[in-house]
Amino acid sequence: MRVFDSFTGTNRGQAATVIQRHGAFTRLWHWVNAACLLVLLMSGLQIFNAHPALYWGKDSSFANPALSIHAATGNDGEWRGITQVGPYRFDTTGVLGVSGPDEARERRAFPAWATLPGPRWLSAGRGWHFLAAWVFVPMLLAYLAYLVLSGQLRRRLLPRRQEWRTLGQSFYDHLRLRFPRGEEARHYNLLQKLAYLLVLFVVMPLVVLTGLTMSPTMDAAWPWLLDVFGGRQSARTIHFLCALALVIFFLIHIVLVLVSGVANNLRSMITGRYRLPASEEVLSDEQQK
Amino acid sequence: MNSKNRPTDPRRRRFLTRSLLAASAVLLTGCDRLTRSDTMGRLFDASSALTQKAQRLLASRESLAREYSPEDIAPTFRANGTTDPQDATYRRLAADGFRDWRLTVDGLVERPQRFSLDELRSMPSRTQITRHDCVEGWSCIGQWTGVVLSDLLAQVGVRDEARFVVFHCADRYRGGDAYYESLDMIEAYHPQTLMAYGLNGGNLPVANGAPIRLRAERQLGYKMAKYVMRIELVESFAHLGRGRGGYWEDRGYEWWAGI
């Protein structure tokens, strides 16, 4: 990251400070990755719909799934969408189990709008999933290598020792949607660092490895995968949980991008240029809400 | 929002908003058509070929699928696809306990032969407890006993031109085309690839493919043809079905079922 050392402050009347926030490879990776994850998620839901249940262990204990999304006839004779997590049953008609417009109600785990392609089509879902995976995985490996080798991991993502004391404050500030301004906005805060580290170095590698564990040929090549994840069906469940974690990360990410200056954030991820938000003192002066 | 955070040029924001809207519209309405296009078909095939190459690099010819212990065997082995073939010849053979059933092995072989069930049973056998992974996502563990396919191939003498082993079956899934599947020579000669006649210590039930079915343990379930009547050694798939090497492949599934 190129930092303008000429930064002198953001007093009223002075030109805003613009920094080069993201390097070209980070920006390219971010957008390719966003597209890949969307395709992977939606095609993944298509694949899940072919057998909408999750299990723990080596194989499927059909009578005893950890999660199942299905349809059941209600008292009125109509189909109801049921989502069962362990012993708990939820009526999710309209979204999970049974969905679609009134005149064309469908019994399907995830609704048509969430799957790629829309109609029930396992082979095409697999086609999209593996095609996107062939872009996602090499890009992820390259990006992780870039972060480590360029020193960005150490400089930008690993929390410094004194920073841990700010954990509570950082969390509280996020909840109140108060974001770092001025000089502080040059760096990721602790929560950002932890979230990015978790997603990049834990969730994304996990989703790849559990994906490989579902391949019978990979299980023969790397049998340790089965031991690490406790069996093929456990790996499938963990794969699903990782996808869920990525969706939750994505939603929080989008909300924070929207509320902390969407244009500035988007520009920094497209051109790299990021305008440092004015510091606190100046704000209180000119923006009394 | 701080007014200073607004972009200097409102046209840029409009451009961004429109790009996002256009992208999502393309994604939602165009994807199904895109999926059907020849270009995507070729991309899916290319990605599958890449997967095959990568997996062949990582898994040697001999690397074995995991074998499990007797406690792991599922109480009932889930039967999928066709579970009771309606073909008249098959029904007649089944009614008689497959006494008159013969497995034809022909095509690009030196000595085409027909094997009775007793002849197959008298050949050296292999028993393995393995996990069956259905393309739908579920898995089931069962114990299989059968002839190692490479032993059978050695008996008939495979000619050099042979590149694939095709399994012709007695069933027509949902009354449509005859089921068939194929393996290349690497998977066909794999030590765990069996023509199985036994499941969990008994005869192979009709629901699971009696009298014999294929077990190719490093592949997904749809490869493992049930109700096998004939094994044909071929150089290409051109003369079979829609030319993609299998019943499901003809319907868009990848020929490489290692994933």
Side-chain angles (χ1 to χ4, degrees), chain B residues 114-131:
Chain B
R114 302 182 77 216
F115 297 87
S116 71
L117 204 48
D118 283 342
E119 283 171 316
L120 292 177
R121 285 181 200 277
S122 68
M123 287 174 64
S125 71
R126 188 181 203 282
T127 294
Q128 59 199 26
I129 301 172
T130 51
R131 193 191 68 231

Side-chain angles (χ1 to χ4, degrees), chain A residues 14-222:
Chain A
Q14 279 202 329
T17 305
V18 175
I19 61 171
Q20 188 69 18
R21 197 187 210 191
H22 301 294
F25 185 49
T26 298
R27 288 179 273 138
L28 175 75
W29 179 78
H30 176 271
W31 293 113
V32 172
N33 199 48
C36 281
L37 282 178
L38 189 68
V39 172
L40 283 165
L41 177 74
M42 294 178 72
S43 57
L45 296 183
Q46 175 80 257
I47 298 170
F48 177 87
N49 275 2
H51 185 75
L54 298 174
Y55 313 88
W56 283 107
K58 299 165 190 165
D59 67 351
S60 302
S61 42
F62 295 109
N64 186 25
L67 173 131
S68 129
I69 302 175
H70 54 269
T73 343
N75 294 332
D76 53 359
E78 294 285 308
W79 286 105
R80 311 295 301 168
I82 305 291
T83 301
Q84 187 164 351
V85 185
Y88 305 101
R89 287 163 63 91
F90 306 95
D91 188 325
T92 48
T93 309
V95 186
L96 301 177
V98 173
S99 56
D102 281 341
E103 66 279 8
R105 276 285 199 221
E106 253 193 302
R107 279 179 284 153
R108 51 184 295 153
F110 283 97
W113 57 261
T115 64
L116 175 67
R120 217 176 290 256
W121 195 355
L122 173 60
S123 67
R126 286 169 58 84
W128 279 106
H129 205 68
F130 301 142
L131 184 64
W134 270 114
V135 181
F136 171 75
V137 175
M139 286 291 279
L140 176 66
L141 293 175
Y143 189 60
L144 294 184
Y146 163 76
L147 285 180
V148 173
L149 298 176
S150 69
Q152 293 217 36
L153 173 66
R154 191 173 41 76
R155 273 188 284 117
R156 300 187 69 187
L157 287 177
L158 289 181
R160 296 179 204 294
R161 204 172 299 160
Q162 64 271 25
E163 222 176 331
W164 287 102
R165 273 177 271 140
T166 66
L167 183 62
Q169 186 62 42
S170 182
F171 194 71
Y172 182 62
D173 286 345
H174 266 81
L175 283 183
R176 293 178 60 203
L177 300 181
R178 286 170 60 92
F179 304 106
R181 301 187 159 276
E183 270 301 85
E184 275 185 24
R186 281 179 186 274
H187 315 287
Y188 290 139
N189 60 59
L190 183 61
L191 276 195
Q192 275 179 304
K193 288 183 177 180
L194 293 179
Y196 293 148
L197 282 174
L198 190 69
V199 164
L200 282 168
F201 288 90
V202 179
V203 181
M204 287 187 179
L206 259 185
V207 84
V208 174
L209 288 172
T210 50
L212 292 176
T213 313
M214 281 186 260
S215 148
T217 298
M218 285 310 301
D219 285 351
W222 293 349

Side-chain angles (χ1 to χ4, degrees), chain B:
Chain B
M1 196 211 286
N2 179 2
S3 60
K4 285 190 175 179
N5 280 353
R6 298 234 168 89
T8 43
D9 185 357
R11 275 176 300 177
R12 191 184 288 175
R13 177 189 281 188
R14 266 206 303 275
F15 169 75
L16 287 173
T17 316
R18 280 179 193 160
S19 309
L20 281 175
L21 282 175
S24 53
V26 164
L27 201 73
L28 289 175
T29 61
C31 266
D32 296 351
R33 211 182 310 157
L34 188 59
T35 305
R36 281 186 186 86
S37 71
D38 290 345
T39 313
M40 284 318 294
R42 276 193 297 272
L43 273 173
F44 293 156
D45 285 349
S47 130
S48 176
L50 189 59
T51 306
Q52 181 183 349
K53 284 204 181 77
Q55 295 201 332
R56 279 278 161 78
L57 210 63
L58 293 169
S60 72
R61 274 169 180 258
E62 302 285 315
S63 62
L64 297 176
R66 168 142 311 172
E67 295 193 14
Y68 293 85
S69 58
E71 309 78 88
D72 296 323
I73 296 173
T76 45
F77 193 90
R78 174 173 274 211
N80 204 40
T82 306
T83 50
D84 193 12
Q86 294 304 305
D87 175 74
T89 312
Y90 179 84
R91 296 199 76 82
R92 185 171 43 77
L93 292 167
D96 200 24
F98 300 105
R99 208 180 317 150
D100 296 327
W101 173 90
R102 297 288 180 275
L103 174 68
T104 305
V105 186
D106 61 5
L108 299 173
V109 298
E110 304 292 349
R111 302 169 293 280
Q113 275 183 67
R114 302 182 77 216
F115 297 87
S116 71
L117 204 48
D118 283 342
E119 283 171 316
L120 292 177
R121 285 181 200 277
S122 68
M123 287 174 64
S125 71
R126 188 181 203 282
T127 294
Q128 59 199 26
I129 301 172
T130 51
R131 193 191 68 231
H132 178 100
D133 297 326
C134 179
V135 67
E136 291 172 357
W138 51 267
S139 309
C140 211
I141 294 175
Q143 185 199 59
W144 305 96
T145 303
V147 184
V148 179
L149 180 58
S150 67
D151 290 348
L152 201 61
L153 294 178
Q155 287 232 0
V156 293
V158 174
R159 284 169 37 191
D160 290 343
E161 315 91 88
R163 289 183 56 217
F164 301 100
V165 184
V166 178
F167 306 85
H168 296 277
C169 307
D171 60 318
R172 293 172 181 276
Y173 185 55
R174 291 184 182 158
D177 301 335
Y179 202 97
Y180 75 102
E181 267 302 338
S182 60
L183 294 178
D184 64 12
M185 303 314 288
I186 292 178
E187 290 308 301
Y189 280 115
H190 186 262
Q192 284 171 321
T193 299
L194 309 183
M195 297 315 298
Y197 46 70
L199 171 61
N200 297 340
N203 286 342
L204 187 63
V206 167
N208 301 105
I212 61 159
R213 75 173 299 173
L214 171 66
R215 295 301 310 170
E217 307 294 358
R218 301 190 300 181
Q219 301 277 304
L220 291 176
Y222 66 86
K223 276 284 166 189
M224 306 194 212
K226 305 196 284 188
Y227 319 109
V228 177
M229 306 294 279
R230 175 180 168 220
I231 295 177
E232 183 191 10
L233 279 287
V234 301
E235 202 175 349
S236 88
F237 304 137
H239 66 291
L240 298 162
R242 297 176 206 165
R244 291 178 54 89
Y247 178 91
W248 288 111
E249 288 85 338
D250 284 343
R251 282 153 186 80
Y253 284 79
E254 303 109 330
W255 180 81
W256 177 250
I259 185 173

